[in-house]
Amino acid sequence: MEDLLAARLQMAVSLGFHIIFACIGMAMPFLMAIAEYQWIKTGRQVYRDLAKAWSKGVAIFFATGAVSGTVLSFELGLLWPTFMEHAGPIFGMPFSWEGTAFFVEAIALGLFLYGWDKLRPWVHWGTGLVVGISGVASGIFVVAANAWMNSPAGFDWVNGEAINIDPVAAMFNDAWFSQALHMTLAAFVATGFAVAGLHALLLLKDRNNLFHQKAFKIALLVGGIAAILQPLSGDYAAKDVAERQPAKLAAMEGHFKTSQPAPLILGGIPDEEAEEVDYAIEIPYMLSFLAHGDFDAEVTGLDKIPREEWPPVLITHIAFQVMVGTGVLMMLVGLLYFYFLWRKNELIQRRWFLWLVGICTPLGFIAVEAGWTVTEVGRQPWIIYGIMKTEEALSPMPGLRYSFYMITVLYLLLTAVVSWLMYRQIITLSDRYESAH
């Protein structure tokens, strides 16, 4: 295995695992806070039990997210030293703010976990809210750093060196808001549907379990709202990509030929040699509208991009289709849920709907992984878009494949341990609650 491929795969594995932990860490504290709010307002013990159960999950994923995030920060320097040499002074600001948000989150989580019956109820609830807010802030700061790689700003590049550095302009680059908005909503969609799906599957075994009923409703409420809003943020992000990274948009859509107007391509398998997409469905004019808000707008194709600067079209296109497909499905499930709520139908008694939500359990995280594949693979061959290519940033250290193997095994073991801890926590409390009520 070549060192460049090994380094790329190691970053992909590390980021692929970390992003799941990070998404749960961003969204689950709000589920926890909603449950405690319901307990304070109603006095019903089931909500307190639920808040406590979710808080232990938050603690587990906070710890794993901290570990996996630390690994990623070391990998940036170890695998891509040339990148960090130039980029570190420019986009270090969001990482420093991320560290501040992390410490605030850690303090607030400690107060929440050990403050039961010691703090006043509303003060205790407020600490949980701080956990969620600081977790989201931490995610936004990291995404801002990634957005800088897609939309470099805050410096002048002269003779291979960055001068006139402005860290504030680098942090608030043209891509930070669209990426941060899309990623934050994705975290709530993925976590909401994963939690709702898990409790839906448990309700299929015992539909009278009040613990699972309340957990299901809170999680699907959060996930459903985020899923309905997500296509709006996706449209905004796609228009932004069309302006800044036409090669990425062309790869996402399998759009080989510049055209005016341009059709939207659904599905299909791109053939880079023939420069066409096999087995695809085309919707005339639609890509022009989605990319530029004009049915007659010209959309740049890969034919206007030098061949050596093409992203891997097949991977980017399929990942984009997976992201959109799973996102649309969850949006439809969310709309169906709110429709039935409006009609005052009791969905928990409908096995088909529980099965439907249960099937959606992994879809949010599949969409997240696919979305990050689009973001990272679609930027290639650049590590800093238009400035530095990925191969130019690679470490000269040989044998990078061995660190890739080691990291992969460690993450698989970590995932197994976390899954076991979460399963034991949910099943134990569920059984105890069932016997108590």
Side-chain angles (χ1 to χ4, degrees):
M1 182 185 295
E2 294 183 353
D3 285 339
L4 179 59
L5 177 60
R8 280 174 160 158
L9 289 176
Q10 183 174 332
M11 287 297 296
V13 169
S14 299
L15 183 59
F17 279 99
H18 174 70
I19 199 170
I20 295 177
F21 303 146
C23 284
I24 295 173
M26 290 170 68
M28 187 167 276
F30 289 96
L31 303 183
M32 174 184 79
I34 292 172
E36 186 178 14
Y37 175 84
Q38 289 293 96
W39 171 64
I40 294 172
K41 296 293 289 185
T42 66
R44 300 185 68 180
Q45 183 66 27
V46 63
Y47 289 117
R48 180 185 169 103
D49 291 342
L50 189 52
K52 280 192 169 185
W54 279 342
S55 69
K56 292 178 181 179
V58 169
I60 291 171
F61 282 104
F62 176 82
T64 53
V67 171
S68 58
T70 302
V71 170
L72 274 171
S73 65
F74 278 113
E75 286 176 339
L76 284 174
L78 293 173
L79 299 177
W80 317 103
T82 306
F83 166 71
M84 289 304 297
E85 176 187 353
H86 294 286
I90 305 171
F91 78 156
M93 182 176 174
F95 282 122
S96 64
W97 279 108
E98 189 274 338
T100 302
F102 173 81
F103 285 123
V104 172
E105 184 180 4
I107 294 169
L109 181 58
L111 290 171
F112 189 90
L113 292 174
Y114 298 103
W116 289 102
D117 302 320
K118 297 180 180 66
L119 300 173
R120 292 181 179 180
W122 284 113
V123 174
H124 186 263
W125 175 79
T127 64
L129 202 60
V130 171
V131 173
I133 293 171
S134 55
V136 169
S138 180
I140 289 174
F141 289 133
V142 171
V143 171
N146 178 267
W148 177 84
M149 297 166 68
N150 288 296
S151 180
F155 66 98
D156 294 320
W157 191 255
V158 179
N159 297 325
E161 297 290 336
I163 62 173
N164 301 324
I165 295 172
D166 183 349
V168 176
M171 178 173 169
F172 297 106
N173 56 79
D174 291 341
W176 85 270
F177 181 74
S178 62
Q179 282 196 210
L181 177 63
H182 199 56
M183 184 65 239
T184 301
L185 285 173
F188 281 88
V189 174
T191 305
F193 271 89
V195 174
L198 175 62
H199 288 283
L201 294 174
L202 292 170
L203 278 169
L204 286 167
K205 299 179 180 179
D206 179 12
R207 276 180 281 179
N208 294 319
N209 189 306
L210 191 61
F211 179 84
H212 294 314
Q213 289 179 1
K214 299 304 181 184
F216 173 83
K217 289 181 178 179
I218 291 174
L220 194 53
L221 176 71
V222 172
I225 292 173
I228 293 169
L229 294 175
Q230 185 69 312
L232 300 177
S233 74
D235 178 70
Y236 176 70
K239 286 180 168 59
D240 185 55
V241 169
E243 294 295 330
R244 293 183 297 97
Q245 295 177 295
K248 178 185 286 187
L249 180 75
M252 287 161 53
E253 298 290 349
H255 188 59
F256 288 97
K257 304 296 183 182
T258 301
S259 53
Q260 182 182 7
L264 178 67
I265 297 175
L266 299 179
I269 302 175
D271 184 339
E272 294 188 39
E273 295 302 321
E275 298 188 7
E276 59 185 27
V277 182
D278 299 323
Y279 316 112
I281 299 173
E282 292 190 1
I283 303 177
Y285 302 96
M286 191 54 66
L287 182 57
S288 293
F289 177 74
L290 292 176
H292 299 292
D294 181 354
F295 285 106
D296 293 317
E298 179 180 275
V299 178
T300 301
L302 289 167
D303 58 340
K304 286 194 174 181
I305 309 296
R307 189 66 181 247
E308 64 274 12
E309 295 181 9
W310 282 20
V313 180
L314 178 63
I315 297 174
T316 306
H317 178 74
I318 291 178
F320 180 68
Q321 299 294 311
V322 169
M323 179 188 69
V324 172
T326 51
V328 169
L329 178 57
M330 288 183 289
M331 178 194 70
L332 293 175
V333 172
L335 288 171
L336 185 62
Y337 177 63
F338 290 115
Y339 171 76
F340 278 114
L341 282 181
W342 174 62
R343 295 299 298 265
K344 302 187 185 306
N345 286 329
E346 187 52 65
L347 286 171
I348 289 176
Q349 300 304 320
R350 298 173 182 262
R351 291 184 62 85
W352 67 267
F353 188 75
L354 293 177
W355 273 115
L356 178 60
V357 177
I359 291 171
C360 289
T361 302
L363 292 188
F365 290 113
I366 290 174
V368 167
E369 299 286 8
W372 273 98
T373 299
V374 171
T375 299
E376 296 303 295
V377 177
R379 188 182 61 246
Q380 299 306 312
W382 305 100
I383 192 168
I384 308 175
Y385 188 70
I387 300 292
M388 180 185 294
K389 291 188 175 180
T390 305
E391 60 185 11
E392 298 170 352
L394 182 66
S395 169
M397 182 178 67
L400 294 181
R401 62 184 180 278
Y402 299 112
S403 65
F404 162 59
Y405 299 148
M406 181 182 68
I407 286 294
T408 301
V409 171
L410 287 176
Y411 272 119
L412 289 173
L413 290 174
L414 179 62
T415 300
V417 171
V418 170
S419 299
W420 176 75
L421 288 172
M422 291 302 298
Y423 175 80
R424 193 177 74 162
Q425 171 64 25
I426 293 170
I427 296 301
T428 300
L429 184 57
S430 173
D431 291 344
R432 186 167 71 244
Y433 188 86
E434 182 181 3
S435 62
H437 294 274

